[in-house]
Amino acid sequence: MNIRIFENEEDLNATGAGLIASLLQTKPRAVLGLATGSSPVGIYKQLIAMYQKGLVSFAQASSFNLDEYVGLPTEHRESYRSFMNEQLFHHIDMDLSRTNVPNGEAADLAEECAGYERRLEDRGPVDLQLLGIGHNGHIGFNEPGTELTGRTHVVDLKEETRKANARFFDSIDEVPAQAITMGVGSILKAKQILLIARGEEKAEIIREAFMGPITTSCPASLLQCHPNVVVLLDRAAGRLVR
């Protein structure tokens, strides 16, 4: 595991974007695993700038997103499909037909999960999976528990996760109670994993995830089992890393 700590946001974002751009330059048909939330936004902005300068192309690439809220219309401003369109897809040359986000409005959620997993298996493995980390150690929406699900599935979101995401909505009552997420097993199949964390509030969980025991009570700790993980932290998030 390669953990790097940065003194400024610009260098962190440039390093993350550079890893993704380098992959696309050497493998134009790469399969990208993408994430939402505040952690990857700066990296997406860097990638857009690189594309506009002609330094990288997404024309032959494809992508799979980690997760999506259940019951939130695709056009809702906080759906993860809307997030990806606004933060990345509409600003680059990626073919939208090759961008995959779970359908949280599916009539049969179990079949949606099974179909998403089949597409991952058929088109994968993911070459690079981008991750954030929740305050409770979740990756994707894989919440802490006595056991974890390996494949794409529906998850009941814990109250602390809903409270953390309430800042994106008008109130916590608007935050969906469920989501579709790639399972931990699906995530660990990626050839490379790039995890981003920022801010003082992530320092404790970063230490627990990467310096503590491997346990389902901290899903991100299972990344210690992966042979190719890069962790990019700002100074505040990395303050407890030794």
Side-chain angles (χ1 to χ4, degrees):
M1 183 174 293
N2 180 8
I3 299 178
R4 298 186 59 184
I5 300 173
F6 294 84
E7 295 297 334
N8 63 75
E9 292 288 313
E10 184 176 352
D11 288 346
L12 190 161
N13 293 332
T15 298
L19 288 171
I20 296 171
S22 294
L23 169 64
L24 290 168
Q25 288 159 357
T26 57
K27 187 178 182 180
R29 295 184 180 275
V31 179
L32 303 176
L34 300 178
T36 56
S38 56
S39 297
V41 169
I43 289 173
Y44 293 156
K45 288 180 178 177
Q46 288 274 351
L47 287 170
I48 291 167
M50 295 176 76
Y51 162 70
Q52 292 172 340
K53 293 175 182 177
L55 300 175
V56 65
S57 173
F58 299 80
Q60 299 180 63
S62 58
S63 69
F64 285 86
N65 262 74
L66 281 168
D67 40 34
E68 177 62 283
Y69 288 118
V70 168
L72 206 63
T74 299
E75 63 273 12
H76 191 285
R77 70 182 189 280
E78 295 303 336
S79 79
Y80 289 163
R81 167 55 77 176
S82 290
F83 176 98
M84 292 306 306
N85 287 345
E86 293 173 8
Q87 298 295 333
L88 184 64
F89 296 152
H90 284 172
H91 307 285
I92 57 175
D93 59 345
M94 181 174 274
D95 184 342
L96 284 178
S97 69
R98 290 205 291 270
T99 65
N100 297 273
V101 180
N103 178 11
E105 295 185 278
D108 187 335
L109 292 175
E111 177 53 36
E112 173 63 20
C113 293
Y116 203 74
E117 193 70 26
R118 285 194 296 270
R119 294 199 297 277
L120 273 168
E121 293 175 356
D122 291 344
R123 304 178 194 178
V126 168
D127 290 292
L128 186 150
Q129 176 65 61
L130 184 59
L131 294 177
I133 181 172
H135 294 83
N136 61 4
H138 72 238
I139 48 176
F141 272 130
N142 292 282
E143 299 280 28
T146 56
E147 59 185 28
L148 296 173
T149 301
R151 297 166 67 85
T152 303
H153 62 287
V154 175
V155 62
D156 294 326
L157 300 180
K158 291 191 177 294
E159 192 68 10
E160 60 191 304
T161 297
R162 295 182 69 233
K163 286 180 179 177
N165 288 357
R167 68 189 188 276
F168 301 116
F169 294 81
D170 292 334
S171 74
I172 190 172
D173 295 332
E174 294 186 8
V175 182
Q178 291 185 310
I180 296 174
T181 185
M182 285 188 201
V184 173
S186 307
I187 292 169
L188 291 175
K189 289 179 182 178
K191 294 179 182 179
Q192 183 177 34
I193 292 173
L194 173 60
L195 185 141
I196 312 297
R198 311 170 195 270
E200 173 74 22
E201 70 277 6
K202 294 293 179 71
E204 291 285 352
I205 198 60
I206 288 294
R207 177 172 64 179
E208 182 178 345
F210 300 123
M211 302 179 68
I214 298 172
T215 170
T216 58
S217 65
C218 179
S221 69
L222 274 76
L223 298 177
Q224 295 182 44
C225 301
H226 195 281
N228 189 1
V229 177
V230 177
V231 180
L232 306 183
L233 309 171
D234 66 10
R235 177 57 62 184
R239 70 178 180 84
L240 299 178
V241 174
R242 298 288 184 269

